[in-house]
Amino acid sequence: MNAGETQRVPWIVGVSGASGTPYAAAVLRALLDAGESVDLVVSRASRLTLLDETGISFRDAHWQADLREWLSRGADGKPGTFAVGIDRVRHWNAGDLAAGPSSGSYPVKGMLIVPASTACVAGVALGLSKDLLQRAASVTLKERRPLVVAVRETPLNGQTLRHLVTLDDAGASVVPASPAFYAGATHIQDLVDFVAGRVLDAAGVPHGLYRRWTGELGGGDATRPTRAPSE
């Protein structure tokens, strides 16, 4: 780094194999809109999910073109919905255990795993580090940096629940991918953005992805009359 230059300190975004690639896309777009830098780790399993949910093949040799296509799509799959620049994104192969995020000396702000599969949750909770995604999460925990885990599965069995408690005890924020409806969602993108917004809330990243609760009933639908308390 030359004198006068600001050190790049990114957020790591890990995408695991759970269903919910639109959540990851929404988080990535919002981070970039907020002026943040991103280190992206896309697991092998998530590439199959991405192909199944969007028809996009995420290839290491063509990751920039594939990422642009992915982030340009809305949650309904329509291409060209968003215009996104990816100049602040750095991609790391999930099998590269010598990558920057595998070391605690590599400067990052924290890590967001979205969506997080139960297999990913188990691997991080048990400290397996079988790939770069899990290794980066383990490093994030040991360095006491923010780790947000957006788990996407239902129902959850006891073993997964215990793994989530382990992550909570270790300092991670567990954010289930559970859309809410009080913000007045009228489109699938609104529901996706709500979950992405809650992920960013847990990380402390400013955004405008959803309308926040104001304490007034009926705020989610301006055309719907507020019910009397006795009803």
Side-chain angles (χ1 to χ4, degrees):
M1 185 172 63
N2 296 327
E5 290 185 356
T6 302
Q7 184 180 40
R8 180 180 182 273
V9 184
W11 285 95
I12 303 171
V13 176
V15 187
S16 80
S19 176
T21 54
Y23 294 131
V27 166
L28 287 165
R29 286 192 298 265
L31 285 171
L32 295 172
D33 286 345
E36 300 287 351
S37 296
V38 173
D39 275 21
L40 179 63
V41 182
V42 181
S43 75
R44 292 180 61 184
S46 70
R47 298 175 193 222
L48 299 176
T49 307
L50 182 64
L51 179 63
D52 185 52
E53 293 184 344
T54 69
I56 297 171
S57 297
F58 194 91
R59 303 157 296 176
D60 290 327
H62 305 281
W63 72 268
Q64 292 172 312
D66 296 339
L67 181 62
R68 286 193 187 95
E69 183 179 1
W70 178 22
L71 297 189
S72 75
R73 296 195 180 197
D76 58 2
K78 182 179 179 181
T81 301
F82 299 98
V84 182
I86 62 169
D87 292 345
R88 294 191 304 277
V89 179
R90 182 173 186 177
H91 167 254
W92 298 96
N93 185 294
D96 184 4
L97 291 177
S102 67
S103 172
S105 65
Y106 182 79
V108 301
K109 293 184 177 180
M111 182 174 185
L112 316 175
I113 305 178
V114 53
S117 66
T118 55
C120 174
V121 166
V124 176
L126 297 173
L128 298 183
S129 297
K130 74 177 185 64
D131 62 9
L132 179 59
L133 195 160
Q134 291 185 12
R135 172 60 184 168
S138 295
V139 169
T140 301
L141 288 176
K142 81 178 182 67
E143 296 295 328
R144 300 296 191 266
R145 296 166 180 160
L147 173 65
V148 183
V149 179
V151 60
R152 215 306 307 167
E153 184 60 271
T154 188
L156 296 173
N157 62 30
Q159 188 175 41
T160 298
L161 291 169
R162 286 187 286 273
H163 288 151
L164 292 172
V165 170
T166 297
L167 291 179
D168 179 77
D169 289 343
S173 295
V174 176
V175 181
S178 302
F181 297 86
Y182 62 78
T186 59
H187 189 277
I188 185 175
Q189 188 67 54
D190 299 327
L191 298 175
V192 168
D193 285 348
F194 179 87
V195 171
R198 295 300 286 153
V199 170
L200 295 171
D201 286 345
V205 177
H207 66 86
L209 289 177
Y210 68 88
R211 182 167 56 195
R212 296 182 182 276
W213 176 250
T214 62
E216 297 183 9
L217 293 176
D221 185 354
T223 65
R224 183 185 62 207
T226 302
R227 298 175 62 185
S230 61
E231 291 183 311

